[in-house]
């Protein structure tokens, strides 16, 4: 028992000192070898340096190797490059507002006058304010730009940073004026339509026994001629509407008529393949033009040359010498009936519209096609040339399209006439008339394409409603009378309403998005 008690007390006594940790490297006694002691000291781990000190030493070492001079650390500024950069920014932000408004310009002028009266210039005022001029490189470069601009006004000009929209395009201008860096597209202004008086029916003339298919007006504006399905050509007095003469000779419907402005001749074409020249002094046929293989549907005279152009079902437009009756050209290229042909003085001197839904512009000197317009989707039945502008229009059942000569550039669509358009006519007041197969009549402002009047012709009493189609039309030489040939076998003459004013018939023009 005493021995057990003594053993427990030795274990549980807290006063006993804790055991001391032993060192990794035991201390060497004086009796050990000195070489062993040195080896033991070398195996001891050195104290580690902080990571920041190591990074700093590495950066310093890199600088010592690659950068000998610590003071040259920033990239040097290139003044020419900086000047170009600032010039670009200045012109980009301030070029459009370089001209002051009139009110501000007047205020600046007044202030300058007061400063001049006080005997102080801008630099003197700046010096008085305590400014010693530009203090930074940017200010110096901006002043250099302003000085360069003032020198350009007196010296040779450079269009390197001129807006393209502000460069004047004058005839004979140097090529440098066309090489501007920035091209600013000028906003297209929407044109306002001109006011036109509405048209009303003036006279109805009966006399034909068939559909009236062609009409032409005398160059002296004294009479007009019509051709119809009854194979007769009738000449009417324009002022009174009375019949003056009837010419017979065709054995089928007369589809084309044209009166010569330089000769007393009347030319006619019909579905009987015949093209005739009538001498109105003797009222008889003096020439025949043979060559068409099928019916002739259209006819036109050249305004300055003694040439006659006809087109028909054989898909060709033929050019004839009026005097010798010789065929000069057979303009082939259309794949269907040539429905209308027009002539003008300048190229393209011949324009044809065909049932193959194309319009062709012809080079009369070479007898070849200059351009083929394929924008239409349906048969092109009518073509009309503007008397005021170097342009023309073509009509189809899908749209009436306006084109610019000489290349046939598309201008605009005149949409809205939902019918088979058989005829077009334009007068000197820029009034475009389009007549439809269902009797619909549309009057347009030619320049803007604004439809200012829509009407429907009324058939003659005793005729069917389906016979009110309009097949041909023509303005007289003054442009104040419109003559239409219709399917009810009548000829109608229309005129402007004298009592109409812009107040009674205002313009209701709403431009369509994307048209202008």
């Amino acid at each position: 028992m005493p021995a057990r008690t003594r053993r427990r007390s030795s274990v549980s006594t807290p006063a006993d000192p804790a055991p001391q940790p032993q060192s990794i490297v035991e201390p060497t006694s004086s009796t050990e070898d000195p070489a062993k002691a040195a080896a033991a000291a070398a195996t001891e781990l050195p104290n580690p340096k902080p990571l920041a000190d190591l990074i700093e030493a590495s950066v310093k070492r890199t600088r010592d190797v690659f950068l000998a001079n610590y003071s040259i650390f920033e990239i040097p500024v290139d003044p020419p490059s900086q000047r170009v950069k600032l010039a670009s920014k200045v012109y980009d932000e301030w070029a459009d507002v370089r001209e002051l408004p009139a009110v501000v310009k007047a205020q600046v002028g007044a202030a300058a006058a007061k400063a001049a009266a006080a005997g102080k210039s801008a630099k003197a005022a700046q010096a008085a304010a305590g400014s010693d001029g530009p203090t930074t490189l940017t200010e110096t470069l901006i002043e250099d730009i302003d000085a360069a601009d003032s020198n350009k006004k007196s010296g040779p000009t450079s269009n390197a940073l001129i807006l393209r929209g502000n460069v004047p395009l004058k005839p004979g201008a140097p090529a440098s004026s066309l090489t501007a860096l920035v091209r600013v597209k000028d906003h297209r202004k929407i044109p306002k339509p001109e006011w036109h008086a509405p048209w009303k029916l003036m006279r109805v003339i009966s006399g034909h026994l068939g559909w009236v298919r062609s009409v032409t007006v005398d160059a002296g504006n004294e009479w007009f001629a019509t051709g119809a399905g009854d194979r007769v050509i009738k000449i009417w007095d324009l002022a009174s509407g009375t019949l003056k003469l009837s010419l017979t000779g065709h054995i089928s419907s007369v589809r084309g008529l044209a009166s010569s402005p330089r000769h007393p001749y009347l030319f006619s074409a019909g579905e009987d393949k015949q093209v005739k020249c009538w001498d109105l002094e003797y009222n008889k046929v003096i020439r025949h033009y043979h060559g068409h293989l099928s019916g002739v549907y259209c006819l036109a005279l050249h305004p300055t040359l003694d040439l006659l152009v006809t087109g028909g079902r054989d898909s060709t437009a033929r050019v004839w010498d009026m005097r010798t009756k010789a065929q000069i050209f057979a303009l082939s290229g259309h794949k269907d009936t040539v429905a209308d042909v027009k002539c003008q003085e300048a190229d393209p001197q011949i324009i044809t519209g065909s049932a193959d839904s194309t319009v062709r512009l012809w080079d009369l000197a070479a007898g070849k096609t200059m351009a083929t317009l394929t924008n239409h989707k349906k048969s092109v039945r009518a073509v009309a040339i503007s008397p005021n502008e170097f342009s023309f229009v073509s009509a189809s059942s899908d749209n009436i399209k306006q084109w610019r000569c000489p290349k046939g550039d598309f201008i605009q669509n005149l949409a809205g006439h939902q019918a088979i358009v058989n005829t077009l006519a334009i007068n000197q007041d820029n009034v475009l008339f389009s007549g439809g197969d269902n009797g619909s009549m549309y009057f347009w402002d030619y320049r803007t394409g604004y439809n200012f009047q829509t009407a429907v012709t009324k058939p003659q009493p005793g005729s069917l409603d389906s016979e009110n189609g309009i097949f041909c039309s023509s303005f007289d030489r003054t442009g104040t009378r419109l003559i239409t040939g219709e399917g009810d076998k009548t000829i109608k003459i229309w005129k402007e309403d004298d009592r109409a004013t812009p107040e009674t018939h205002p313009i209701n023009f709403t431009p369509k998005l994307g048209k202008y």
Side-chain angles (χ1 to χ4, degrees), residues 10 68 76 133 166 178 197 259-260 264 366 385 419:
S10 63
N166 299 332
L178 306 178
S259 63
S260 175
I385 297 175

Side-chain angles (χ1 to χ4, degrees), residues 158-422:
S158 172
N159 295 328
L161 290 172
I162 296 178
L163 298 179
R164 182 66 178 270
N166 299 332
V167 177
L169 301 179
K170 298 180 180 179
S176 60
S177 62
L178 306 178
T179 57
L181 180 64
V182 182
R183 180 183 179 90
V184 177
K185 185 177 181 181
D186 297 334
H187 296 285
R188 182 177 179 184
K189 296 181 180 180
I190 299 178
K192 294 183 179 180
E194 182 183 357
W195 182 83
H196 301 284
W199 294 70
K200 64 179 182 179
L201 183 63
M202 171 185 172
R203 181 179 291 119
V204 179
I205 301 174
S206 300
H208 280 290
L209 302 178
W211 293 352
V212 182
R213 304 303 300 261
S214 56
V215 61
T216 184
V217 180
D218 171 40
N221 211 41
E222 296 179 357
W223 52 266
F224 68 94
T226 55
D230 57 2
R231 309 180 298 277
V232 179
I233 301 172
K234 292 182 179 292
I235 298 178
W236 312 83
D237 184 73
L238 184 59
S240 61
T242 58
L243 180 64
K244 298 179 68 174
L245 183 65
S246 294
L247 301 174
T248 58
H250 282 280
I251 58 175
S252 188
S253 178
V254 181
R255 297 293 297 267
L257 286 174
S259 63
S260 175
R262 299 186 305 275
H263 310 91
Y265 296 157
L266 175 69
F267 296 87
S268 63
E271 294 180 0
D272 51 6
K273 310 179 190 177
Q274 297 183 13
V275 180
K276 298 177 181 291
C277 175
W278 303 79
D279 189 340
L280 297 180
E281 293 180 349
Y282 298 96
N283 298 332
K284 65 178 183 180
V285 178
I286 58 174
R287 296 186 186 99
H288 287 88
Y289 303 89
H290 298 284
H292 275 284
L293 306 178
S294 188
V296 187
Y297 283 2
C298 54
L299 181 148
L301 293 176
H302 196 280
T304 56
L305 304 176
D306 289 338
L307 297 179
L308 171 67
V309 185
T310 57
R313 287 186 60 189
D314 56 2
S315 306
T316 60
R318 301 180 186 270
V319 183
W320 310 88
D321 189 327
M322 185 186 300
R323 295 165 295 180
T324 64
K325 302 179 292 184
Q327 177 179 299
I328 301 174
F329 288 118
L331 305 177
S332 59
H334 285 293
K335 298 180 180 179
D336 209 335
T337 302
V338 178
D340 200 4
V341 61
K342 290 293 184 290
C343 295
Q344 60 181 357
E345 298 180 8
D347 287 331
Q349 299 184 48
I350 300 175
I351 303 172
T352 57
S354 172
D356 61 2
S357 70
T358 64
V359 178
R360 285 182 178 261
L361 314 181
W362 301 89
D363 183 359
L364 183 58
K368 296 181 180 179
T369 303
M370 292 177 57
T372 303
L373 312 179
T374 60
N375 298 46
H376 283 289
K377 300 177 181 178
K378 300 291 184 180
S379 171
V380 180
R381 296 196 176 196
V383 176
I385 297 175
S386 172
N388 300 326
E389 300 179 6
F390 196 34
S391 61
F392 68 96
V393 287
S394 59
S396 179
S397 57
D398 55 357
N399 262 321
I400 300 174
K401 296 182 182 293
Q402 190 173 352
W403 314 87
R404 183 182 294 108
C405 294
K407 296 182 180 180
D409 299 324
F410 175 75
I411 300 177
Q412 63 178 343
N413 275 328
L414 279 66
H417 199 163
Q418 302 296 329
I420 300 174
V421 180
N422 289 324

Side-chain angles (χ1 to χ4, degrees), residues 23-90:
S23 176
I24 297 177
V25 180
E26 294 182 357
T28 59
S29 62
S30 59
T31 60
E32 293 180 355
D33 190 7
K36 292 182 179 180
T43 57
E44 294 182 3
L45 295 177
N47 293 330
K49 292 184 179 181
L51 183 60
D53 295 342
L54 295 176
I55 294 175
E56 184 178 359
S58 177
V59 171
K60 189 175 184 301
R61 177 64 178 168
T62 303
R63 290 183 179 180
D64 291 340
V65 173
F66 296 103
L67 195 63
N69 192 350
Y70 296 140
S71 62
I72 306 175
F73 187 73
E74 296 182 356
I75 299 175
V77 178
D78 183 25
S81 303
Q82 197 73 4
R83 185 178 296 107
V84 171
K85 177 182 176 182
L86 289 174
S88 301
K89 288 188 176 182
V90 167

Side-chain angles (χ1 to χ4, degrees), residues 94-136:
W94 301 102
D96 293 336
V97 291
R98 295 179 70 177
E99 295 294 334
L100 295 177
V103 179
V104 179
K105 189 178 294 184
Q107 295 177 355
V108 173
K114 291 181 180 179
K120 290 184 178 181
S121 62
K123 291 184 178 180
Q126 184 179 4
S131 175
D132 296 331
T135 58
T136 63

